Amino acid sequence: MTAGDEALAREVSGELDAMGKASHYCGETGSASKMKLVVNMIMGGMIAALGEGIALSQSLGLDGSQIQEILEQGAMSSPMLKLKGPSMAEGAHPPAFPLKHAQKDMKFALGEAQKAGLSLPVAAAANSEMAASMEKGLSDLDFSAVIEAVRAAPPC
């Protein structure tokens, strides 16, 4: 994602395309950072929901590999599900995107939403679960460690 001088972004688009799957011009300076914040907020909500689903399925005695397979075959299939689901079910969280950075982005996104007069209850809940996982000393693990807050939480 790029922002700022659009002519310059077009000029270097070939180099940017070579470094990743695609390049996206997002507008004026700062817009790419805002876009990344929104993307990370969505990803944080998704990983928290996945963690809740895995924790619930395990507490119900369901086959973890079966829930993974069913999710992968349906509309919820995604690269993140395929990458994170199995390790979350096993309780393994090798850091790729540290929880402390994911939670920071959630907090910033919630701050931007407040400035815009928006309520983001799903993002707020995911942020709370991330903060609870960090309180358990999991800050440097992958953001998939958010599942550990669900596993440790008292029932509703």
Side-chain angles (χ1 to χ4, degrees):
M1 293 178 278
T2 61
D5 186 330
E6 188 172 7
L8 180 58
R10 276 196 306 270
E11 183 181 324
V12 299
S13 66
E15 289 84 352
L16 294 173
D17 287 340
M19 293 189 307
K21 295 176 187 171
S23 63
H24 298 277
Y25 177 75
C26 296
E28 65 186 41
T29 300
S31 296
S33 295
K34 291 174 185 175
M35 183 68 75
K36 183 160 179 43
L37 191 65
V38 170
V39 168
N40 285 353
M41 183 207 70
I42 293 168
M43 195 167 59
M46 289 174 65
I47 202 78
L50 179 59
E52 289 181 1
I54 291 170
L56 178 60
S57 71
Q58 290 174 334
S59 73
L60 295 173
L62 298 174
D63 180 349
S65 62
Q66 189 176 37
I67 186 124
Q68 180 74 27
E69 183 179 330
I70 290 168
L71 287 170
E72 285 183 18
Q73 292 174 352
M76 290 299 302
S77 184
S78 69
M80 187 170 70
L81 167 70
K82 291 176 184 177
L83 178 67
K84 301 295 183 184
S87 62
M88 290 175 78
E90 294 170 8
H93 311 291
F97 182 27
L99 179 60
K100 63 186 173 188
H101 299 311
Q103 192 273 330
K104 168 192 56 83
D105 287 350
M106 293 298 279
K107 185 172 61 175
F108 286 159
L110 289 167
E112 290 299 316
Q114 185 176 21
K115 287 185 217 173
L118 296 174
S119 172
L120 304 178
V122 173
N127 182 58
S128 293
E129 288 181 352
M130 288 180 178
S133 291
M134 289 172 52
E135 288 173 10
K136 294 177 64 57
L138 307 176
S139 298
D140 292 325
L141 295 181
D142 189 72
F143 77 132
S144 63
V146 69
I147 191 174
E148 304 309 332
V150 177
R151 286 182 172 141
C156 298

